[in-house]
Each structure stands twice: as structure tokens, then as C-alpha cells.
Amino acid sequence: QLQLVESGGGLVQPGGSLRLSCAASGFTLDYYAIGWFRQAPGKAREGVSCISSSGGSTNYAESAKGRFTISRDKAKNTVYLQMNSLKPEDTAIYYCARRFVGVVGMCNLNRDEYSLWGQGTQVTVSS
């Protein structure tokens, strides 16, 4: 079964950190860019960060630059999103998704180009 499974969400105080994981099963991530997206209540789903199939290229939304870091572990077939200096406005459900790009494909934050989505993990930043 092809699926992406997110984990690592939770409740954290402002200024805290979380590391989200996106584990792929049923396929290899070698040919796919992976994006992290988030959706807050009443808002549209927005791109946060993405990583190319090789792991050599990344993109970040302005809101994530300098605070979030995306990485991938090919051996574990998993992509991570390290989130530091969290703010209340980071509160949302975080989803990962895949986009076929080939072995050396780049990534972008256009959610319409991603075809397989995980179930999401809740991140709540509150004191």
C-alpha cells in the first residue's frame, strides 16, 4: 500500500521545537520531491517547505525561513521537518505529500502538483 505517514506533532510552548517525520511505505522516495504543507482552521492549505528527490535542493516559505529545516534519510525512506522557535501562528495540521520529479528533480510549494498525501499531524503552539 502506497502511503505517507506523518508523526511528531504535539503541544509545545512558544519558542519550543518539534521534529516532524514523514515516512514513506510501498514506494521509494528516490524519485519524488517531498513537500510539507500546513492548514490552520479556516485557512487554506499552504506550503511550508520541500526537498528535491536527491535531497540537494530545498525551498522554504518566508514564514519558515531561518526557523525550519527539511532533510531526508534515504536509508529510512523518511523526510523530516525540524521546527525551531515555534510561534502560535505555526499552529496547524501539518501534512507531507509527494511529487514525482525523477532522480534529479527539483521541488516547489505548489500543492496542486502533489498527488499522495499523508493523514496529517497536529502541531499546537501555545503557552
Side-chain angles (χ1 to χ4, degrees), residues 66-77:
R67 299 188 301 128
F68 295 1
T69 303
I70 192 170
S71 62
R72 65 194 302 158
D73 185 330
K74 289 197 172 185
K76 295 184 177 180
N77 215 29

Side-chain angles (χ1 to χ4, degrees), residues 26-66:
F27 68 99
T28 175
L29 289 177
D30 290 353
Y31 304 104
Y32 295 90
I34 296 296
W36 280 100
F37 299 80
R38 67 187 183 187
Q39 188 165 18
K43 294 188 177 181
R45 191 170 298 188
E46 62 176 4
V48 176
S49 182
C50 66
I51 190 166
S52 64
S53 54
S54 69
S57 178
T58 58
N59 281 318
Y60 295 92
E62 285 298 321
S63 60
K65 287 181 180 178

Side-chain angles (χ1 to χ4, degrees), residues 73-122:
D73 185 330
K74 289 197 172 185
K76 295 184 177 180
N77 215 29
T78 299
V79 171
Y80 303 98
L81 184 68
Q82 177 68 42
M83 304 189 296
N84 299 327
S85 303
L86 283 162
K87 306 174 182 179
E89 50 264 44
D90 294 317
T91 295
I93 300 175
Y94 283 70
Y95 302 89
C96 64
R98 74 172 192 181
R99 173 175 176 256
F100 181 80
V101 294
V103 176
V104 292
M106 308 298 283
C107 74
N108 60 49
L109 296 178
N110 182 354
R111 68 177 187 266
D112 293 334
E113 296 186 17
Y114 288 79
S115 60
L116 180 68
W117 292 79
Q119 83 290 347
T121 185
Q122 176 71 48

Side-chain angles (χ1 to χ4, degrees), residues 2-31:
L2 305 177
Q3 60 178 352
L4 293 168
V5 179
E6 302 96 334
S7 62
L11 173 64
V12 63
Q13 292 186 342
S17 298
L18 284 173
R19 188 178 79 155
L20 306 184
S21 299
C22 172
S25 62
F27 68 99
T28 175
L29 289 177
D30 290 353
Y31 304 104

